[in-house]
Amino acid sequence: FSLAIWFRKNGAGGGGLISKRNSGPDYGWGIEDTRTNLQFFMYGSYANYSAYIQKDITAYNNVWTQVVITWATTTLKMYINGAPVATATTPSPSSSFPDNNTGPLIIGQKYNTAASPTPAFNGWVQQVKIWQSLLSPSDVTAEFNKKKACFGL
């Protein structure tokens, strides 16, 4: 699994950039700006399965930034602007990632339940890409280099 997204925080930022979750509180995945950290999270439907990876992003206010997440079996990696910034070990997954859910894919917000979505991301989101395969580090760099000029980098 690999996910790439370009975003630009408006000042302090905050809110979900993208999420895909079932209507239950803990089944799915997403990227959230916690105002100081960019966090990728995933939760599975079987006992005690959860994983996250995060990076301080206070330096990225009002600047277009690309984040890429890769996940292979038990390793999560986060890249910012083509460079690796964090790695985490995850529990062994179930047969699907992390749930074969039918929840909506939401861009610009984190989905909690149909009745209570979280506040919208305070900024802009563009160029969302999702792969069912693992991007290599050179693939991540190539993805960044393809679009960086479009975003003034």
Side-chain angles (χ1 to χ4, degrees), residues 11-81:
L17 278 73
I18 187 170
S19 68
K20 178 153 178 60
R21 300 178 76 177
N22 281 340
S23 59
D26 293 326
Y27 310 122
W29 56 267
I31 298 177
E32 180 177 16
D33 172 9
T34 67
R35 298 191 192 276
T36 56
N37 289 304
L38 189 66
Q39 181 180 71
F40 175 79
F41 61 87
M42 60 184 181
Y43 304 108
S45 63
Y46 64 97
N48 300 318
Y49 183 80
S50 67
Y52 73 93
I53 190 169
Q54 66 183 11
K55 174 66 178 163
D56 180 325
I57 57 165
T58 54
Y60 298 100
N61 290 341
N62 300 308
V63 175
W64 281 105
T65 305
Q66 183 201 49
V67 61
V68 174
I69 303 295
T70 63
W71 180 61
T73 313
T74 59
T75 304
L76 260 177
K77 292 185 180 180
M78 179 184 284
Y79 299 81
I80 293 182
N81 293 343

Side-chain angles (χ1 to χ4, degrees), residues 113-134:
T113 67
S116 64
T118 61
F121 174 63
N122 186 8
W124 298 269
V125 174
Q126 287 201 15
Q127 304 289 325
V128 176
K129 293 183 178 183
I130 302 170
W131 296 263
Q132 288 184 330
S133 58
L134 180 70

